[in-house]
Amino acid sequence: MRRVWVLLLCAYLLGWVPLNFANELFATVPSLQMRGAPAIIELALHGMAAMLCATAGWMLWVGAPAGLTLAAAAVTAAGLVSLQSLFLTVLPRNTAPGERIPLALVTCAHTAFWLAIIVRAARRERSRGQHDLANHPS
């Protein structure tokens, strides 16, 4: 059952975050010239966060040793991008002013949830490694 959470994290990092960025990009491109350099910089940062998430998701999927560490950085970056998009954006958003605080709380809870899953998976992996060392001393 615990492995299911890591697979869901992979789906979130490999699928949801990059698709969300693609949606944001396609919604913004027609008005990018009017929005100027701040919008281009913001989109570039969001794109880097999406690439970080996709890379972390792939590393988790293939079982790379640094996958959990990169996933923690990616989940944090995705959370920061979401918060930034709620309060300090020049890109088009369909968020009513009264919805910003509740959405920010949901974003923080969402990020904390995935970070807790990553910490649990790292503990399990660490304990499994210690168990393997105890059974097979060098």
Side-chain angles (χ1 to χ4, degrees), residues 28 31-45 90-91:
T28 305
S31 64
L32 201 56
Q33 185 177 5
M34 179 185 69
R35 296 178 190 284
I40 294 170
I41 293 168
E42 186 175 342
L43 273 176
L45 292 173
V90 294
L91 303 178

Side-chain angles (χ1 to χ4, degrees), residues 68-116:
L68 289 171
T69 304
L70 192 61
V75 165
T76 303
L80 290 173
V81 162
S82 294
L83 288 174
Q84 177 270 322
S85 295
L86 285 172
F87 297 104
L88 302 168
T89 188
V90 294
L91 303 178
R93 293 280 176 225
N94 289 327
T95 305
E99 294 176 344
R100 287 189 174 123
I101 298 296
L103 286 174
L105 294 173
V106 168
T107 298
C108 291
H110 179 260
T111 302
F113 170 78
W114 285 121
L115 288 174

Side-chain angles (χ1 to χ4, degrees), residues 37-67:
I40 294 170
I41 293 168
E42 186 175 342
L43 273 176
L45 292 173
H46 290 193
M48 288 190 292
M51 286 189 301
L52 177 67
C53 288
T55 302
W58 182 254
M59 288 179 71
L60 280 177
W61 183 262
V62 298

